[in-house]
Amino acid sequence: MLKSIQTSTMISTTDLEQLAEIELLRDEEEEDEEQSDAGPPPGLPPRRRSSQDAAHPYYDVARHGILQVTGDDNYGRKLVIFSSCCMPPSHQLNHHRLLEYLKYTLDQYVESDYTVVYFHYGLRSSNKPSLRWLRDAYREFDRKYKKNLKALYVVHPTNFIRIIWNIFKPLISHKFGKKLTYVNYLAELRDHLNCEQLIVPPDVLRHDEKLRAAQKGGPPPSVRSPPPRPPLPTQQFGVSLQYIREKNSQVVIPPVMSQTVTYLKQKGLQTEGIFRRSARVQLIKDIQKLYNLGKPVSFEEYGDVHVAAVILKTFLRELPEPLLTFPLYGSLQDIIRVETSLRVTTCMQIVGNLPEHNYIVLKYLACFLHMVSQESIHNKMSPSNLACVFGVNLARPPQGSMSLTALTPLNIFTELLIEHYHTVFGSRCPPGQVTP
């Protein structure tokens, strides 16, 4: 039936809308069957709402946890997550306010490349916005929002989604349409995203479990992860700072960092939007492979400063323990409770608790980012802008994913590191310290 819908030129939009409603009702019946089963699988927590601060300008919408911004994808692009199952019944949610909240959130990130993950499961006739609202929303999201959206992943699509897509085809450009990817199982996201950073609602996890259990022949092959292989002696990505130091003649600054920073200091300090742009995916993978095999990398050959910038962010993001370490994560989050006049001093104290090697590497990075910020008149990257890019790559919680509310204190802390570099790092001079 769906194929005939997609190929027919005679069917009206009204007919498509009616078919969409029919498909949504079928989805609801399947959901009702799932929810009548004997409880969630063991180990999955109940649904929980976002703990947004009541002072948030869109607290009435944000408190539901419909929208989350968490970390980056595998290519250094900010992740924005929309979860239909978190939407309350329509009479409890002002959809106009929802649209304003979407724009308010995206406005903080659309100057950089970003990725959207849409969890479709949980959309019902009781909580879905009208088709008119969807059309208005698409028109509201003008070129500013669409230009830097690099990928849109629709997870657990149904016929309803495909029919809606058909309704909107006259409004959607071919270029935008190429950014859409349907994802049938959560495991398929692993090829594109860092799933450890992905905030997946428990309802979606349960639904995915049922889909995989119902599949003949067991779960999809991508779910069966091979046992981890020991890292190569030359490995640079995905291994600890200590491992890199031991395997590289006790070098203090990891080679990936020293080489990217050296190149960017020479070529990229005045590049507008440095660290905001992504690079060709396959090229980044190829460079990572060269590093991991111990082969030389010359960024001059690529002629694009954004390549080196993405490699630097990727290196930091893939450290098994973030540069600011797991034990200090709670202290970083508490910075928002500190009086503004005392925050620099608090930042110094937190940084002073880092292990020696982490401190040296962080100082090296912060010094470089301070240099970048000094050229903000050209590159448009102020300490605040740099903090939005690097904060999520410097720290993350020991368990689970980082919530939208956790980003604010992390960005504040990172901005302090960059803007007040000389003060924060001036009082401690560890042995063997190096500067960029």
Side-chain angles (χ1 to χ4, degrees):
M1 180 185 73
L2 182 61
K3 187 175 181 181
S4 65
I5 291 172
Q6 293 171 331
T7 55
S8 172
T9 58
M10 301 298 292
I11 193 165
S12 69
T13 299
T14 302
D15 292 334
L16 284 172
E17 291 179 2
Q18 291 174 349
L19 285 169
E21 291 296 329
I22 292 170
E23 293 298 333
L24 185 58
L25 289 171
R26 287 177 180 170
D27 294 343
E28 285 187 38
E29 290 174 3
E30 293 177 4
E31 284 185 37
D32 289 339
E33 290 175 7
E34 287 185 20
Q35 292 170 1
S36 65
D37 289 345
L44 289 180
R47 183 191 298 183
R48 54 184 172 84
R49 289 182 174 179
S50 172
S51 56
Q52 288 283 356
D53 189 335
H56 192 288
Y58 290 94
Y59 174 73
D60 56 319
V61 180
R63 66 192 176 93
H64 297 293
I66 301 166
L67 196 67
Q68 300 285 353
V69 181
T70 171
D72 297 342
D73 66 10
N74 289 348
Y75 319 121
R77 304 179 299 217
K78 188 65 62 183
L79 271 177
V80 180
I81 301 168
F82 189 102
S83 303
S84 288
C85 66
C86 295
M87 293 180 66
S90 296
H91 69 275
Q92 297 178 14
L93 179 67
N94 183 324
H95 286 139
H96 179 69
R97 289 278 292 170
L98 173 60
L99 179 55
E100 289 181 343
Y101 173 53
L102 291 174
K103 293 175 68 176
Y104 167 83
T105 303
L106 290 178
D107 281 343
Q108 302 173 54
Y109 304 102
V110 293
E111 294 302 320
S112 305
D113 295 341
Y114 70 104
T115 293
V116 172
V117 178
Y118 168 64
F119 290 121
H120 176 63
Y121 177 77
L123 189 72
R124 303 169 68 88
S125 58
S126 61
N127 68 355
K128 74 173 182 65
S130 68
L131 288 176
R132 180 177 179 180
W133 183 90
L134 290 173
R135 288 193 186 95
D136 291 344
Y138 185 80
R139 293 188 177 102
E140 285 282 331
F141 291 116
D142 55 22
R143 186 176 182 274
K144 178 179 78 170
Y145 300 93
K146 296 167 187 172
K147 179 181 68 171
N148 288 333
L149 172 63
K150 298 304 178 183
L152 168 60
Y153 297 102
V154 176
V155 183
H156 301 139
T158 62
N159 277 348
F160 172 80
I161 282 290
R162 293 178 170 87
I163 294 172
I164 291 294
W165 185 256
N166 196 275
I167 294 172
F168 277 80
K169 264 188 177 179
L171 299 176
I172 297 171
S173 68
H174 176 69
K175 185 177 180 180
F176 183 84
K178 290 172 66 176
K179 300 176 182 181
L180 172 71
T181 300
Y182 289 132
V183 177
N184 295 311
Y185 301 96
L186 291 174
E188 296 173 12
L189 285 173
R190 291 175 185 162
D191 294 335
H192 311 282
L193 312 176
N194 181 351
C195 289
E196 291 182 359
Q197 294 186 3
L198 196 64
I199 298 176
V200 184
D203 287 355
V204 174
L205 290 172
R206 285 190 281 269
H207 180 63
D208 192 71
E209 286 284 336
K210 292 188 74 69
L211 288 178
R212 290 191 291 112
Q215 189 186 45
K216 293 181 179 179
S222 58
V223 173
R224 304 191 187 101
S225 301
R229 293 181 297 177
L232 297 168
T234 52
Q235 192 92 10
Q236 298 290 308
F237 289 84
V239 292
S240 68
L241 293 176
Q242 184 63 31
Y243 184 91
I244 295 172
R245 187 173 186 177
E246 290 174 354
K247 301 297 182 181
N248 289 269
S249 305
Q250 297 299 312
V251 65
V252 178
I253 304 301
V256 174
M257 290 188 67
S258 60
Q259 290 169 21
T260 52
V261 166
T262 298
Y263 176 76
L264 291 170
K265 283 171 61 181
Q266 295 171 353
K267 303 290 186 179
L269 287 182
Q270 295 190 353
T271 300
E272 184 171 341
I274 186 69
F275 295 116
R276 283 188 177 274
R277 298 286 176 257
S278 57
R280 191 158 53 87
V281 171
Q282 190 57 51
L283 179 58
I284 297 303
K285 289 182 178 179
D286 291 344
I287 294 174
Q288 285 184 274
K289 185 175 181 180
L290 289 175
Y291 270 118
N292 287 337
L293 292 174
K295 296 182 178 180
V297 174
S298 172
F299 290 105
E300 294 281 356
E301 295 179 6
Y302 306 111
D304 183 358
V305 297
H306 298 297
V307 171
V310 171
I311 287 293
L312 176 59
K313 291 192 297 180
T314 303
F315 172 80
L316 294 169
R317 184 169 58 254
E318 293 191 4
L319 288 172
E321 181 177 42
L323 189 55
L324 289 172
T325 72
F326 290 130
L328 293 184
Y329 181 76
S331 299
L332 302 180
Q333 290 296 304
D334 289 340
I335 194 77
I336 200 167
R337 299 183 178 90
V338 177
E339 240 181 89
T340 304
S341 60
L342 299 176
R343 284 180 178 176
V344 175
T345 302
T346 303
C347 183
M348 291 172 59
Q349 294 169 349
I350 295 173
V351 167
N353 288 324
L354 281 169
E356 201 75 18
H357 192 192
N358 290 62
Y359 179 92
I360 295 171
V361 174
L362 180 64
K363 180 173 182 178
Y364 179 86
L365 176 67
C367 181
F368 167 62
L369 295 180
H370 180 75
M371 293 175 63
V372 174
S373 72
Q374 295 298 294
E375 298 289 344
S376 61
I377 192 172
H378 301 291
N379 59 38
K380 313 301 183 188
M381 295 302 289
S382 64
S384 176
N385 290 337
L386 288 166
C388 289
V389 172
F390 276 90
V392 292
N393 294 315
L394 295 180
R396 61 181 181 272
Q399 295 179 334
S401 303
M402 189 181 300
S403 67
L404 183 57
T405 51
L407 287 175
T408 299
L410 181 54
N411 290 348
I412 289 172
F413 184 88
T414 308
E415 184 177 353
L416 292 170
L417 287 180
I418 299 169
E419 185 172 3
H420 300 280
Y421 162 76
H422 293 291
T423 302
V424 172
F425 293 94
S427 60
R428 176 178 166 185
C429 298
Q433 176 182 314
V434 296
T435 54

